[in-house]
Amino acid sequence: MAAGAAGLAVGVLGGVTPARADAPRPATTACPAALAGKATCYTGQDANGAHYAIAVPDDWNGSLVVHAHGGPDLGDASDPARSLDDLGRWDVMVDQGYAWAGSAYRRGGYGTRMAAADTENVRRVFVSAFGEPERTYLHGQSWGGDVAAKVAEVYGQRMDRPYDGALLTNGVLAGGSRGYDYRVDLRVVYQYYCQNHPRPTEPRYPLWQGLRATSTMTSSGLRARLQECTGHASAPGDRTPLQQRNLDDILAVTKIPERTLESHLRFATFTFRDIVTDRLGGRNPFGNEGVRYSGSHDDKALNAGVERFSADPSAVRDLSYDSDLTGKVTIPVLTLHAIDDPTAFVEHEAAYRATLQGADRDRYLVQTFTDEHEHSSLSDSEYAASVAALDRWVRSGRKPLPQSIATSCETYDRTYGTGCFYDPGFRPSAYATRVNARPGGLRWPALTAEQERAWSHVDGVGIAP
């Protein structure tokens, strides 16, 4: 292991404040249980206030995995427990010999570029403390997939090429300006049927706000309203006929799985409030004008009665600049996605392929799919196979085939026993087959490199860190 306490160069690069030369070195801490006796773990806080965790295995192979976590969490400050929790969830990377570094980000709330900057900064912290790795790989899961993809675009093209490859798993890869349209649809369709969010007796607000700024509603309060309207937590036989019809209509129109209906509604409530009120100054980035909703027992009445609104172009610009992807990657990108992911639908992968195709960069992309049914984590055997396949691709220059990755997984499954569920022949349908396209929503990338360059010269564009 290379060692050294020298600080990083002073200065700001790409919006990142580097670790100070006098910043405290990472402090040793107890590793997650599965890594006890296998690695040395560290925690610290960077110059921007972001807590982080680092692990260096005893048999370090010389390469580093830099992790971007999902969410976003909605707390005001950086959560010191978050990165250690993620290290425990992806300890398989360390078990495979890779050092690991993850940032908890400097604050909660939405901000993809902020999270990307903090992810890049934890890499710099690692280099300052332990030396330059032989190779450095990005990993992002869920919203962290969008963050890691943004890191690859913003920092991966620098002359010093700090990243060699990226692994994106169950990623929200349609970006922010389109990736949440199905939750916009849920918000308005839910209110059409339920009329309790807000209730007629409560102050009114446009639904694109998610929730009015001064509301004291909690997650449990939202859950109670969902139960009141749909009986979603009850056995079908215990629901009233109206509850069952409301539930059937909401699910059919939005194409959201019943098992994640509550979590999607929470996002369309609390995270929308964060995006609109806290990040965009009350401006609306969402719209549903012209969307025709279908699948209900009475589509005509639904489309006549559902709330409609148009987005503020400046809000769309700022959300797009912050979180949409240009596809301008110059490093190998491997994706792994559960076909039945109930949170980040697998059609996000079709959007990402179209994004890279639109940027003429799809030669850098390999996508793999598994017959799994969860979002927050996949099989350890598959994570191990994926990072190994990415490493071989980078080292050899030979692009792997999904079938070869699936076959290689069997070797790792003899160690982890969590299963290999690859479907090498699967191809996701277009994003618009799952999510109602808005005007212009069939063209990818949603943010072109030319737009990104132009907007980067506009004062105040994007979402503030």
Side-chain angles (χ1 to χ4, degrees):
M1 178 193 309
L8 296 172
V10 177
V12 177
L13 178 59
V16 182
T17 302
R20 296 185 301 266
D22 61 347
R25 282 178 55 82
T28 56
T29 192
C31 287
L35 295 179
K38 297 181 179 181
T40 304
C41 296
Y42 306 83
T43 55
Q45 194 169 14
D46 73 13
N48 296 322
H51 288 277
Y52 62 81
I54 290 172
V56 181
D58 296 342
D59 57 348
W60 186 26
N61 63 17
S63 293
L64 169 68
V65 172
V66 180
H67 173 77
H69 77 68
D73 302 330
L74 295 182
D76 292 332
S78 183
D79 179 3
R82 177 65 200 241
S83 290
L84 275 175
D85 290 344
D86 274 10
L87 173 57
R89 288 173 62 193
W90 283 284
D91 55 33
V92 62
M93 307 286 188
V94 183
D95 193 60
Q96 285 295 304
Y98 294 87
W100 187 97
S103 172
Y105 312 146
R106 70 191 73 177
R107 62 160 172 79
Y110 205 85
T112 303
R113 285 181 182 265
M114 172 203 71
D118 291 342
T119 300
E120 159 64 2
N121 210 22
V122 77
R123 182 195 67 81
R124 296 180 178 203
V125 169
F126 182 94
V127 172
S128 176
F130 305 105
E132 192 74 43
E134 180 182 351
R135 289 177 177 82
T136 302
Y137 300 116
L138 284 159
H139 171 237
Q141 175 117 353
S142 188
W143 179 57
D146 186 45
V147 173
K150 181 66 75 175
V151 174
E153 292 183 358
V154 173
Y155 304 104
Q157 300 185 56
R158 294 205 320 247
M159 291 298 292
D160 59 341
R161 289 184 62 88
Y163 298 99
D164 297 282
L167 172 62
L168 313 178
T169 56
N170 279 3
V172 180
L173 299 176
S177 73
R178 299 177 187 174
Y180 307 127
D181 281 343
Y182 59 95
R183 287 167 171 158
V184 175
D185 295 337
L186 171 61
R187 190 67 182 84
V188 299
V189 170
Y190 176 88
Q191 182 65 4
Y192 171 80
Y193 288 111
C194 298
Q195 294 295 308
N196 67 2
H197 186 25
R199 300 184 190 279
T201 56
E202 294 174 328
R204 310 296 293 178
Y205 56 87
L207 297 181
W208 49 261
Q209 289 183 352
L211 187 65
R212 60 187 173 89
T214 57
S215 174
T216 58
M217 178 186 284
T218 63
S219 293
S220 60
L222 179 62
R223 185 181 309 116
R225 296 188 188 210
L226 178 61
Q227 173 67 10
E228 170 191 295
C229 176
T230 68
H232 81 291
S234 301
D238 294 331
R239 297 169 186 153
T240 68
L242 180 58
Q243 285 177 326
Q244 187 63 61
R245 191 174 75 171
N246 287 341
L247 181 61
D248 290 344
D249 280 346
I250 292 168
L251 297 178
V253 173
T254 63
K255 302 178 184 176
I256 288 174
E258 182 175 344
R259 61 197 170 107
T260 51
L261 177 60
E262 181 186 338
S263 64
H264 284 291
L265 189 60
R266 281 201 309 270
F267 193 105
T269 300
F270 302 108
T271 307
F272 275 18
R273 177 171 66 176
D274 175 81
I275 292 172
V276 170
T277 302
D278 298 334
R279 311 304 158 201
L280 296 175
R283 293 172 295 141
N284 173 28
F286 305 123
N288 68 339
E289 290 287 356
V291 173
R292 173 161 179 78
Y293 298 106
S294 62
S296 73
H297 75 279
D298 189 340
D299 289 347
K300 183 177 180 180
L302 170 63
N303 283 282
V306 75
E307 184 173 319
R308 303 279 182 177
F309 39 80
S310 296
D312 178 334
S314 71
V316 175
R317 176 203 64 191
D318 287 353
L319 182 58
S320 178
Y321 179 77
D322 180 75
S323 59
D324 283 344
L325 301 171
T326 67
K328 287 287 187 178
V329 296
T330 57
I331 58 175
V333 179
L334 174 63
T335 72
L336 172 68
H337 213 117
I339 295 170
D340 190 31
D341 183 337
T343 299
F345 304 147
V346 72
E347 288 81 6
H348 275 271
E349 295 288 341
Y352 191 58
R353 175 168 286 280
T355 295
L356 267 64
Q357 287 173 334
D360 193 27
R361 301 297 174 93
D362 55 312
R363 63 188 179 277
Y364 292 107
L365 179 65
V366 171
Q367 294 177 298
T368 61
F369 302 93
T370 66
D371 185 21
E372 289 173 277
H373 311 281
E374 299 303 327
H375 170 70
S376 296
S377 63
L378 299 170
S379 164
D380 277 356
S381 302
E382 293 165 356
Y383 286 126
S386 295
V387 72
L390 180 62
D391 184 60
R392 287 193 300 271
W393 182 6
V394 168
R395 290 173 182 271
S396 70
R398 293 191 295 273
K399 191 173 182 179
L401 296 174
Q403 181 60 64
S404 68
I405 298 173
T407 301
S408 72
C409 181
E410 298 170 6
T411 299
Y412 299 97
D413 201 45
R414 288 195 286 271
T415 298
Y416 297 107
T418 53
C420 299
F421 305 98
Y422 287 94
D423 183 347
F426 179 80
R427 296 292 181 274
S429 299
Y431 188 69
T433 64
R434 185 70 177 261
V435 180
N436 293 306
R438 275 57 174 172
L442 298 178
R443 295 191 301 271
W444 300 90
L447 172 67
T448 67
E450 292 75 18
Q451 284 176 317
E452 183 180 49
R453 282 194 294 271
W455 288 348
S456 69
H457 297 294
V458 178
D459 288 341
V461 72
I463 290 176

